[in-house]
Amino acid sequence: MNKNMPLKDNVLLTTLFSGFNFGSSLQTFATKVLVENLGYNCELIERKSLVKGRDVRMGKLFTILFRTLQTFDTRTIKAYRSSYQKSIFGDSKLRFEEFTARYLKPQCMTWKALKKEAKSAVASIAGSDQLWNPTSLYVDPMYYLRFAPQKKRISFATSLGHDFVAKYNITKLRKWISEVRFLSVREDSGVKLIQELCGRKALHLLDPTLLLDGDTWRHKLQIPSQDEVYILAYFLDSPSEKAKSCISLLKDKLNCKVIAIPYEHEDMNYADMIVPAGPLDFLRLVDNATYVVTDSFHGTAFSINLHTPFYVFDRNYGSAHSQSSRVVSLLKMLQLLERYEPAMESMLDINVDFEKSDFILKSEREVARKYLNESLAACQID
């Protein structure tokens, strides 16, 4: 931000930044930077949690339990349970907490205080990540900006993560999304879903992590360069056999080690070592890797943004609902779909042409900046 530019009034941001997830932490940081670059003070808000580093509230737990008994949606409850059972290596959690305290600086508020703050704020933003997950057993009013005046509600590249709405959420999502004044989403499937659900047109924007270019990330967070040849394996769930084959082929071709972060899966024989990692470590490792192999949306996004050759494989969701649409949507937009689930014979094609993706990203960044700037300005006029 221009140091000589005076800050205007507060903009409140609600988004997912807990859960020890690189994408959640870094998309929150990116959104704060984008808002502050427009001359506002962006205040990240959170509710008091029962578990450090997680969004766990008593009312939320009771609602999830009740909805589970009511719907028997075992796939969704297994996904909840799986996310809390993941083993994260070493002191990774501490590194996340340090990043949050230094760069995100969330403010804990009661619902009453939040409503009061929202009245005087310029606007309230529902950020990116899967805030509007249509299969969620708990539809959180905070992420639909129910605390804010309707004329001051903005969604910014908010993700639904799926291409359908669970029956038990249709009525509530239809009402709550319809009452967000300015609508933008992260996937083209989200545009279609909101049109079908609410009869409204949402703007398709890039994930906020892509709205800052690679050099901005390196400068803002002082990411060091290093001379080391390695493959970075970043998998949210145990990789498929095809993904392991890809890692093996690349390892033989490049004659280098394989570094895995940060989760400990049952079978880690595809990696030479696993290292602890917070958001800053993740950026450093992606930026300096010779190759990235991942099942992660943000592993893909940062590989593209930092010009690191990559392959992305379908995530092993098990019994949970697939969320692959958002990865496919991004790769289609950036004309890099060949990097998704590649054929065996093309896995040694190490070079990636980022020229087209850079051109598209530059244009999309302007679209997002214009949307955010005009939405914030309109909230002050009306």
Side-chain angles (χ1 to χ4, degrees), residues 211-258:
L211 297 177
L212 303 182
D213 62 32
D215 286 340
T216 300
W217 280 109
R218 295 182 185 101
H219 173 72
K220 285 282 185 182
L221 295 177
Q222 298 180 321
I223 306 304
S225 61
Q226 60 189 64
D227 295 322
E228 186 178 6
V229 179
Y230 61 90
I231 296 164
L232 180 64
Y234 171 41
F235 289 90
L236 298 173
D237 292 293
S238 295
S240 65
E241 291 304 315
K242 186 176 180 181
K244 290 178 184 178
S245 295
C246 177
I247 294 171
S248 179
L249 285 170
L250 289 173
K251 181 180 179 179
D252 290 343
K253 171 73 174 181
L254 299 170
N255 190 26
C256 66
K257 63 185 175 183
V258 178

Side-chain angles (χ1 to χ4, degrees), residues 140-151:
D140 196 327
M142 183 171 71
Y143 297 143
Y144 294 81
L145 307 173
R146 304 303 293 176
F147 59 84
Q150 188 171 338
K151 68 178 183 179

Side-chain angles (χ1 to χ4, degrees), residues 78-287:
K78 284 179 180 178
Y80 273 103
R81 185 174 62 191
S82 174
S83 68
Y84 284 90
Q85 289 178 335
K86 281 183 180 177
S87 177
I88 189 166
F89 185 73
D91 67 347
S92 297
K93 289 185 177 181
L94 177 60
R95 298 178 188 221
F96 272 94
E97 290 165 3
E98 291 173 345
F99 180 85
T100 297
R102 180 176 179 183
Y103 294 103
L104 304 185
K105 302 175 182 177
Q107 302 298 312
C108 188
M109 294 187 190
T110 64
W111 191 257
K112 182 178 180 180
L114 189 50
K115 290 183 72 173
K116 181 179 179 180
E117 186 77 13
K119 286 182 180 179
S120 60
V122 168
S124 293
I125 295 176
S128 189
D129 223 316
Q130 294 182 56
L131 300 192
W132 293 353
N133 186 333
T135 69
S136 178
L137 294 175
Y138 177 68
V139 181
D140 196 327
M142 183 171 71
Y143 297 143
Y144 294 81
L145 307 173
R146 304 303 293 176
F147 59 84
Q150 188 171 338
K151 68 178 183 179
K152 294 184 177 184
R153 298 175 187 170
I154 302 170
S155 73
F156 187 61
T158 309
S159 175
L160 287 85
H162 300 280
D163 55 7
F164 71 98
V165 180
K167 290 182 179 180
Y168 50 80
N169 282 333
I170 289 175
T171 300
K172 183 169 285 186
L173 262 63
R174 178 181 288 125
K175 175 177 172 58
W176 285 9
I177 293 176
S178 293
E179 292 177 354
V180 175
R181 183 179 178 188
F182 298 100
L183 282 174
S184 66
V185 293
R186 197 173 69 182
E187 301 95 18
D188 50 9
S189 59
V191 174
K192 181 180 178 182
L193 196 57
I194 288 178
Q195 178 68 45
E196 293 172 350
L197 185 66
C198 307
R200 290 187 59 188
K201 185 175 181 179
L203 185 63
H204 181 193
L205 298 180
L206 288 177
D207 180 89
T209 60
L210 287 165
L211 297 177
L212 303 182
D213 62 32
D215 286 340
T216 300
W217 280 109
R218 295 182 185 101
H219 173 72
K220 285 282 185 182
L221 295 177
Q222 298 180 321
I223 306 304
S225 61
Q226 60 189 64
D227 295 322
E228 186 178 6
V229 179
Y230 61 90
I231 296 164
L232 180 64
Y234 171 41
F235 289 90
L236 298 173
D237 292 293
S238 295
S240 65
E241 291 304 315
K242 186 176 180 181
K244 290 178 184 178
S245 295
C246 177
I247 294 171
S248 179
L249 285 170
L250 289 173
K251 181 180 179 179
D252 290 343
K253 171 73 174 181
L254 299 170
N255 190 26
C256 66
K257 63 185 175 183
V258 178
I259 300 175
I261 56 169
Y263 303 112
E264 295 182 272
H265 305 300
E266 289 185 9
D267 181 8
M268 297 292 296
N269 61 7
Y270 59 89
D272 295 300
M273 59 191 299
I274 179 170
V275 299
L280 295 179
D281 306 291
F282 168 74
L283 285 172
R284 173 181 56 81
L285 287 165
V286 172
D287 192 26

